[in-house]
């Protein structure tokens, strides 16, 4: 018989978000009358902006005509959309041939690991989005779990004590560095000085940065960078991943992209862009034509305004959650709140308590689902992530319940 990929054997518990869903489902089965509100997973809740939805509807209807029908498109994406992303989102910091359209950021992050194989060293922010580590485990790059993390992964603590920016000296030479800003789950945003340090380190140590910018449109502070390509030297050491999921509500529509600069090379001088093109044309068959029509609408002036309005809606929710968690009942047990105003997440530390225990308490007493910080890495223990993705009426009701929570 064919042997199992040992990477799956090395995976520890189930993926974080299905585990959260399982616990919610089991609780609901035992408490059928409980009205559960989710402040957990980062799934958008508001309707698509009409201008953007209409563009997809019109394209879909045109498929029923001889003139409007389209079959396979270019695997790298619609050439007009690639050019539009380079122009509108990157303002000339990337060219159309460096833009690769996909079915979402998570899918790109998983696929991109095929570029580097099982021998690559991996460094991740700790805590961080689980797919960085789990994907590395599956391809064999992370090794076995030691009980304090995976042997082949360098965990870079991003905690209040270092202002959520890691000690880069811990990273081994020639490592793949996963970095997310605004960060999921902490909500922390890297400054230009922070990213300059990261870029300089990567260039000096033969590293490649996988920069996850999926939450960039939440940044309201004009002094904060929205893309790593604002940083001098980044084109020789960084790949950026992004998505329409959060700004346009495309979590179910599925549309994202990656930017792979032409200057980025492997150790032997081979073009990373060229190999990524091969991955996208071999292991992928192109994003939905209908979704790409929506992506084009997103980048029109009316679409950009509509996306900003949706993001502002979620930022209002985040502010409401932050204010609630600063209430007297949370102060009594020393809860520490971290919220930047540039992220959909509020990161809260419950000193001396286990993340899953706090999760269970809030679910049982408030009927609210959150996300335990320990699921994002060792440094996430004692933290809870609160998500602002929700209808404002639900978020307001959740905050009312939380304001009365007693520990």
């Amino acid at each position: 018989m064919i042997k199992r990929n040992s990477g799956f054997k090395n995976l520890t518990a189930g993926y974080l978000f299905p585990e959260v869903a399982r616990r919610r489902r089991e609780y609901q089965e035992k408490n059928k009358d409980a009205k559960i509100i989710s402040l957990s997973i980062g799934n958008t809740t508001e309707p698509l902006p009409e201008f953007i939805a209409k563009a997809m509807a019109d394209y879909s209807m045109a498929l029923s005509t001889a003139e409007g029908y389209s079959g396979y498109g270019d695997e790298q994406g619609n050439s007009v959309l690639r050019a539009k992303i380079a122009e509108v989102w990157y303002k000339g910091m990337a060219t159309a041939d460096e833009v690769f359209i996909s079915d979402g950021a998570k899918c790109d992050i998983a696929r991109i690991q095929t570029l580097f194989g099982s021998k690559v060293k991996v460094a991740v922010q700790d805590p961080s989005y689980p797919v960085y580590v789990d994907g590395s485990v599956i391809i064999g790059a992370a090794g076995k779990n030691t009980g304090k993390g995976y042997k082949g992964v360098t965990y870079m603590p991003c905690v209040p004590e270092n202002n959520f920016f890691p000690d880069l000296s811990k990273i081994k030479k020639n490592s793949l560095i996963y970095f997310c800003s605004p960060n999921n789950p902490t909500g922390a945003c890297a400054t230009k000085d922070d990213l300059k340090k990261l870029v300089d380190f990567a260039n000096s140590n033969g590293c490649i940065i996988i920069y996850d910018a999926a939450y960039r449109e939440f940044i309201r502070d004009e002094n904060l960078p929205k893309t790593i390509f604002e940083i001098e030297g980044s084109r020789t050491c960084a790949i950026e991943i992004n998505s329409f999921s959060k700004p346009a509500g495309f979590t179910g529509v599925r549309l994202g992209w990656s930017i792979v600069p032409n200057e980025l090379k492997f150790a032997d001088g081979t073009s990373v862009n060229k190999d990524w093109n091969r991955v996208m044309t071999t292991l992928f068959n192109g994003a939905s034509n209908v979704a790409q029509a929506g992506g084009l609408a997103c980048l029109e002036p009316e679409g950009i305004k509509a996306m900003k309005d949706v993001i502002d809606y979620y930022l209002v929710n985040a502010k409401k959650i932050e204010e609630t968690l600063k209430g007297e009942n949370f102060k009594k047990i020393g809860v520490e709140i971290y919220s930047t105003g540039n992220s959909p997440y509020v990161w809260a530390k419950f000193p001396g308590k286990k993340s899953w225990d706090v999760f269970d308490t809030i679910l049982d007493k408030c009927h609210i689902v959150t996300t335990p910080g320990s699921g994002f890495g060792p440094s996430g223990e004692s933290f809870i992530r609160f998500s602002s993705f929700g209808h404002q009426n639900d978020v307001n009701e959740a905050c009312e319940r939380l304001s009365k929570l007693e520990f």
Side-chain angles (χ1 to χ4, degrees):
M1 293 294 289
I2 295 173
K3 291 184 178 179
R4 182 190 187 198
N5 173 358
S6 61
F8 287 95
K9 179 178 67 177
N10 291 333
L11 285 170
T12 50
Y15 190 65
L16 173 61
F17 301 112
E19 176 63 15
V20 169
R22 183 188 70 80
R23 293 190 182 211
R24 171 183 177 161
R25 184 172 58 254
E26 289 183 355
Y27 184 85
Q28 186 76 79
E29 288 173 355
K30 294 176 182 177
N31 301 271
K32 297 187 183 300
D33 294 331
K35 178 189 175 183
I36 296 177
I37 297 174
S38 177
L39 299 181
S40 177
I41 196 168
N43 192 6
T44 53
T45 57
E46 300 314 296
L48 295 180
E50 184 177 350
F51 176 77
I52 297 169
K54 185 177 185 302
M56 289 189 283
D58 289 347
Y59 190 96
S60 295
M61 289 304 300
L63 291 173
S64 66
T65 69
E67 298 78 14
Y69 176 75
S70 61
Y72 290 126
D74 293 336
E75 292 94 337
Q76 305 95 326
N78 180 307
S79 59
V80 178
L81 179 57
R82 297 175 78 189
K84 198 78 171 176
I85 287 173
E87 173 194 349
V88 175
W89 226 283
Y90 292 92
K91 303 187 187 307
M93 288 179 279
T95 55
D97 64 321
E98 297 171 330
V99 180
F100 295 83
I101 309 301
S102 74
D103 51 348
K106 182 179 180 180
C107 306
D108 269 343
I109 289 166
R111 267 192 300 266
I112 212 160
Q113 292 174 326
T114 62
L115 285 176
F116 307 103
S118 62
K119 303 299 183 184
V120 69
K121 295 184 283 290
V122 174
V124 298
Q125 290 168 289
D126 175 27
S128 66
Y129 188 46
V131 73
Y132 308 151
V133 172
D134 285 7
S136 300
V137 176
I138 289 171
I139 67 165
K144 294 183 178 181
N145 194 293
T146 64
K148 296 182 179 179
Y150 288 93
K151 186 176 180 181
V153 176
T154 298
Y155 293 86
M156 304 181 292
C158 294
V159 292
E161 289 74 18
N162 61 14
N163 201 28
F164 298 102
F165 188 79
D167 178 0
L168 300 178
S169 68
K170 295 180 178 294
I171 303 172
K172 299 172 184 176
K173 287 182 178 292
N174 307 315
S175 287
L176 196 61
I177 304 170
Y178 290 93
F179 196 94
C180 179
S181 181
N183 182 266
N184 178 14
T186 69
C189 298
T191 66
K192 288 183 179 179
D193 287 343
D194 290 335
L195 292 187
K196 180 60 175 167
K197 292 174 186 174
L198 178 64
V199 164
D200 288 348
F201 179 90
N203 278 322
S204 298
N205 291 276
C207 299
I208 292 180
I209 303 161
I210 307 299
Y211 189 79
D212 185 347
Y215 296 94
R216 62 164 273 175
E217 290 307 293
F218 283 85
I219 295 176
R220 291 292 179 261
D221 185 340
E222 295 181 355
N223 295 313
L224 292 173
K226 286 192 170 185
T227 168
I228 199 165
F229 298 120
E230 293 182 37
I231 309 304
E232 183 181 359
S234 59
R235 290 181 59 82
T236 54
C237 68
I239 294 170
E240 183 163 301
I241 309 291
N242 212 321
S243 169
F244 287 103
S245 285
K246 300 309 187 289
F250 275 26
T251 50
V253 174
R254 308 307 305 153
L255 191 66
W257 69 90
S258 56
I259 306 291
V260 185
N262 289 316
E263 293 93 322
L264 187 62
K265 309 291 182 183
F266 291 107
D268 64 356
T270 303
S271 166
V272 177
N273 181 290
K274 183 177 179 181
D275 280 5
W276 184 233
N277 185 72
R278 180 60 188 269
V279 169
M280 294 297 280
T281 55
T282 304
L283 304 183
F284 185 59
N285 214 35
S288 158
N289 292 341
V290 175
Q292 291 187 82
L296 282 167
C298 289
L299 299 178
E300 293 295 324
E302 188 171 345
I304 291 170
K305 181 183 182 304
M307 288 192 295
K308 181 182 182 300
D309 290 344
V310 172
I311 295 297
D312 284 345
Y313 180 97
Y314 293 127
L315 286 173
V316 169
N317 286 349
K319 187 63 177 176
K320 177 71 173 179
I321 295 168
E322 177 190 358
E323 291 171 350
T324 300
L325 296 175
K326 288 180 177 178
E328 289 302 319
N329 55 332
F330 290 97
K331 285 181 181 178
K332 287 178 183 177
I333 61 169
V335 175
E336 301 167 13
I337 309 302
Y338 301 95
S339 181
T340 64
N342 298 290
S343 164
Y345 301 123
V346 179
W347 189 236
K349 183 175 184 179
F350 291 73
K353 297 182 182 295
K354 296 288 188 181
S355 295
W356 280 108
D357 290 344
V358 178
F359 170 93
D360 287 337
T361 297
I362 294 175
L363 178 58
D364 186 47
K365 294 187 175 182
C366 298
H367 300 160
I368 294 170
V369 180
T370 57
T371 310
S374 58
F376 295 98
S379 293
E381 187 59 274
S382 296
F383 285 88
I384 290 288
R385 190 193 75 174
F386 293 85
S387 170
S388 69
F389 292 111
H391 302 310
Q392 284 185 354
N393 287 342
D394 289 338
V395 171
N396 289 339
E397 182 176 342
C399 287
E400 180 66 21
R401 297 180 193 177
L402 286 168
S403 69
K404 299 173 183 177
L405 175 63
E406 295 292 338
F407 289 88

